Amino acid sequence: MPQPTPAFHSPRTAPATHGLPTRRQALATGAAALAAAAWGLPRVARAQGDGKPLRVILPLSAGSGADGAIRAISNSLAKALGQPIVIENLPGAGGITGTTQIVRAPKDGSVIGVVSNNHVVNPSVYKNIPFDSLADITPITILGATPFVLVAHPAVPAKTVQELIALAKSKPGVLNYGSSGNGTILHLGAAMFVDQAKLDIKHIPYRGMGPLMNDILGGQVQLGVVAVAPAAAHIKAGSLRALGVTTATRVAALPGVPTIAEQGLPGYELDGWIAPVAPAGLPKAELARLYNGFKAAMEMPEARDALIAQGYEIKLTPPEPAAAFFRSEAARMAQVVKNANVKID
């Protein structure tokens, strides 16, 4: 194998500083057994014969959660694959701009992308998308997922989900919640809660997570579903109140915060996942090479520690269960979007 070359980043962007019952089955760590049989290439994937860099398209802005996560593990991935990694941010239209380039890329493993929840949300939110979100991609793995938490400004007189539900029902149309944008996963996370609890709460969309957090902290908006990692310090300081985490089980970063599901909304479950994908039609050998490259990278302590530091739980789902997860999440999110009546022209 040639000497591995460290990852480098496209000059277009500087490195970041920083349900359906099949859902959990598809992400179960037990799926690793399937990987051993179906994707059994060497633990460290062979390098591409031509030595060309692997181009990784992120249909998200620099500094986003997925951007930070991939940049954090890129050097380990370069070592595992034995080839340089070039990361390019192509944000726009909720991820559609960059994903269009992913699905149109050569089907030889020279170009992959990293998508998140909005990939399976967009078909239900946008009227016109120039690709099929399921048929036109080859999932490589569900790499990891980060938990969300329902938070309130301390002035809101509710300390639990049950108290919030009672408050909202006593004052219909009075409370509001913010999101990182109309149709984003943080919007749908709050909309799922509102729908399942049968509440009348006003939605206020923002342009991104940063402005949303600033205005919840400032009291301009009362509630929101946000990522645990950036919210944890504010929760511990008392400037945000955590009402419930969105995952199926409690979160290590907020051990004293119960799940929304255990507070009267059974079945409520949501997290922010990231998934490397390739264009449809990728040869099986190349798919195995890429999956095993990610697998080998995540066996390196520096990559595992870096991803965990970004607030992610490592999933590393094999390709076939990853594809099943995409299908199940697309169906689940379509129902959420329908219930929330979300549409973007």
Side-chain angles (χ1 to χ4, degrees), residues 100-184:
T100 300
Q101 298 305 309
I102 297 169
V103 303
R104 293 176 179 174
K107 305 176 187 298
D108 59 1
S110 62
V111 179
I112 66 171
V114 178
V115 300
S116 57
N117 305 65
N118 63 344
H119 182 82
V120 296
V121 170
N122 285 341
S124 300
V125 173
Y126 289 89
K127 289 183 177 179
N128 298 303
I129 297 180
F131 54 84
D132 186 310
S133 291
L134 297 178
D136 290 343
I137 57 115
T138 299
I140 298 168
T141 183
I142 309 297
L143 183 60
T146 187
F148 300 135
V149 58
L150 174 63
V151 297
H153 185 270
V156 175
K159 296 183 179 180
T160 66
V161 164
Q162 295 97 326
E163 290 181 4
L164 176 61
I165 291 173
L167 176 66
K169 288 187 174 181
S170 70
K171 298 181 178 181
V174 173
L175 295 178
N176 60 54
Y177 71 89
S179 78
S180 54
N182 197 32
T184 63

Side-chain angles (χ1 to χ4, degrees), residues 290-314:
L290 291 168
Y291 169 70
N292 280 313
F294 278 99
K295 186 173 183 291
M298 298 316 301
E299 289 173 353
M300 300 178 188
E302 60 270 27
R304 295 185 66 86
D305 293 346
L307 200 61
I308 292 169
Q310 293 285 329
Y312 284 87
E313 177 188 354
I314 297 168

Side-chain angles (χ1 to χ4, degrees), residues 6-16 53-58 60 62 67 70-71 74-75 84-91:
F8 63 95
H9 304 282
S10 167
R12 295 179 57 170
T13 50
L54 174 66
R55 182 185 176 206
V56 180
I57 296 175
L58 294 177
L60 301 162
D67 176 81
I70 294 304
R71 291 182 187 277
S74 59
N75 282 332
I85 307 293
V86 177
I87 300 175
E88 185 175 4
N89 295 86
L90 293 176

Side-chain angles (χ1 to χ4, degrees), residues 210-234:
L212 167 63
M213 282 287 290
N214 288 340
D215 272 14
I216 300 178
L217 289 166
Q220 288 84 3
V221 64
Q222 295 165 306
L223 305 162
V225 170
V226 298
V228 165
H234 298 295

